[in-house]
Amino acid sequence: MASFTCHCPCSQYSPALSRDGPGLGSFSQGRRSAAFKQLPLQAGKVQPPARLSLSCHASSKGSPQAEQEENSSVMHRREAIAMGLAAMLSTAVSSMAANADSAGATDLVQAEPTTATAVQVDEINAYSYLYSTAAATDPAPIQLKWVESRKPERYSSAAPLAPDARQRIVSERIDFKNNVVVSVSVGPPNFTLLKSTETTDWDAKDVAQSVLADKSTSRLTTGQRVAEISILNSHTEEKDGTRYWYYEYLTQKSPTVTQKGLDVYRHSVAVTAEREGYLYSLNASTLDSSWEKFSPALKQTVSSFQMLPVTDEYVPPYKDPWRFW
């Protein structure tokens, strides 16, 4: 609490102002609503300034000179109060702006490995990525026991993600205990959402919407499918001449054994690259309630994804669409 007091032998004034600090607190996380709000920002509390003491030296009470000096003292005190309030407001606004800038620049890429990793190389579809064998958590790492639920296979025989079979899973691995999934899907671009045929004109958020709309299993229009998903962050990078679109998003899911009720969300981070007219997307996800524990490992997987030079084993998605083996 900041207090402003006039200390003089003749003064009858009590403390002129007492004001609590602005108490900005923390914004509540709004990821639990069906509207899928954006990532929350946090603003720390701003500490009020130290106690400010003002002194005036009045002469004997009752004389004209004393009244004039008292009036002058009151005016100086009011000016000091106004300056103090202005400083408090400026500090609060600056703190909020700084926190907003840092929270808005969420990093989707984990550059350095945080735990032991293994490598997945798919020569049929010509890509590779690293996946963590443990999540770096306190007090001890959580071991990830992966099951390769879908071994790498050609696009024509891969499992479709939606009734129209545009997006298909060409490989997938799951940790059932921790509900962590890493999968790679392939499919053509959705030009309802991508307005240009030039990949250099594509925005990361538009690419994300194109991929996610074709992954939805709901029998809805494209616009309704997009509305089911909240894209939290996105950006574009170019590595070794290949453009990669990174994005992070939330989707609402059905209740699970470990998390019951209707308030169940999956938190995902993904990357997409284009080759020969098809989009190759790696998606790493877990329950939103477990995101803090597993996000470094999942971001590391997404960061490591890369398209490989084709070999004799490579099968382009458009080859032999009738073949199911």
Side-chain angles (χ1 to χ4, degrees):
M1 180 182 295
S3 301
F4 301 86
T5 308
C6 177
H7 301 285
C8 68
C10 61
S11 176
Q12 299 180 9
Y13 295 103
S14 59
L17 175 66
S18 294
R19 176 190 173 104
D20 291 335
L24 296 177
S26 299
F27 293 169
S28 62
Q29 295 188 350
R31 294 188 301 209
R32 299 297 187 269
S33 65
F36 298 118
K37 297 180 181 178
Q38 295 292 332
L39 279 179
L41 306 179
Q42 284 194 332
K45 291 186 176 180
V46 179
Q47 297 297 326
R51 180 186 179 96
L52 176 64
S53 298
L54 301 176
S55 297
C56 65
H57 302 283
S59 59
S60 59
K61 182 178 178 181
S63 66
Q65 183 180 358
E67 290 183 5
Q68 184 178 1
E69 290 184 2
E70 285 187 11
N71 291 336
S72 176
S73 175
V74 171
M75 292 181 63
H76 287 309
R77 185 164 63 251
R78 287 176 178 173
E79 290 177 359
I81 291 170
M83 292 175 62
L85 291 176
M88 291 171 64
L89 180 60
S90 176
T91 303
V93 172
S94 299
S95 177
M96 291 179 67
N99 286 321
D101 289 342
S102 62
T106 302
D107 187 11
L108 301 184
V109 176
Q110 186 76 28
E112 297 296 330
T114 56
T115 57
T117 59
V119 63
Q120 169 74 67
V121 178
D122 181 354
E123 293 185 347
I124 297 175
N125 299 287
Y127 66 82
S128 70
Y129 65 85
L130 299 175
Y131 57 93
S132 297
T133 56
T137 57
D138 291 329
I142 299 176
Q143 298 301 314
L144 296 172
K145 298 181 179 180
W146 295 104
V147 174
E148 195 172 30
S149 55
R150 295 186 184 277
K151 294 184 178 181
E153 59 182 319
R154 57 194 299 151
Y155 175 77
S156 62
S157 61
L161 283 165
D164 56 20
R166 286 169 52 86
Q167 281 282 329
R168 304 183 186 185
I169 302 175
V170 295
S171 71
E172 182 179 65
R173 61 182 60 251
I174 300 174
D175 181 323
F176 289 100
K177 180 179 179 180
N178 297 299
N179 210 321
V180 181
V181 180
V182 175
S183 63
V184 178
S185 62
V186 179
N190 188 328
F191 287 107
T192 304
L193 299 165
L194 295 171
K195 306 301 181 183
S196 173
T197 57
E198 295 294 331
T199 59
T200 54
D201 296 333
W202 291 355
D203 179 77
K205 187 173 183 178
D206 293 337
V207 172
Q209 290 178 335
S210 169
V211 173
L212 298 176
D214 283 340
K215 288 176 65 173
S216 174
T217 57
S218 303
R219 296 180 178 275
L220 303 171
T221 65
T222 298
Q224 288 173 313
R225 288 178 181 178
V226 172
E228 290 183 311
I229 301 162
S230 175
I231 298 174
L232 307 175
N233 205 353
S234 63
H235 75 272
T236 304
E237 288 187 16
E238 188 165 322
K239 297 185 294 186
D240 299 327
T242 301
R243 191 176 296 267
Y244 294 87
W245 296 276
Y246 297 88
Y247 44 98
E248 181 181 358
Y249 65 96
L250 281 174
T251 50
Q252 188 171 19
K253 294 296 182 180
S254 301
T256 65
V257 174
T258 58
Q259 190 169 348
K260 304 182 184 300
L262 299 178
D263 193 24
V264 179
Y265 297 87
R266 285 199 77 81
H267 200 144
S268 305
V269 63
V271 58
T272 296
E274 185 272 344
R275 179 166 54 201
E276 296 187 296
Y278 282 79
L279 299 181
Y280 291 70
S281 303
L282 181 145
N283 187 89
S285 69
T286 187
L287 292 174
D288 187 46
S289 57
S290 303
W291 177 249
E292 295 301 325
K293 291 187 294 186
F294 297 111
S295 61
L298 300 185
K299 289 179 181 180
Q300 178 180 304
T301 295
V302 167
S303 304
S304 67
F305 179 76
Q306 61 178 336
M307 305 300 290
L308 300 178
V310 300
T311 64
D312 292 340
E313 300 295 324
Y314 171 66
V315 180
Y318 53 79
K319 184 178 180 181
D320 301 335
W322 48 267
R323 185 173 174 178
F324 296 99
W325 66 91

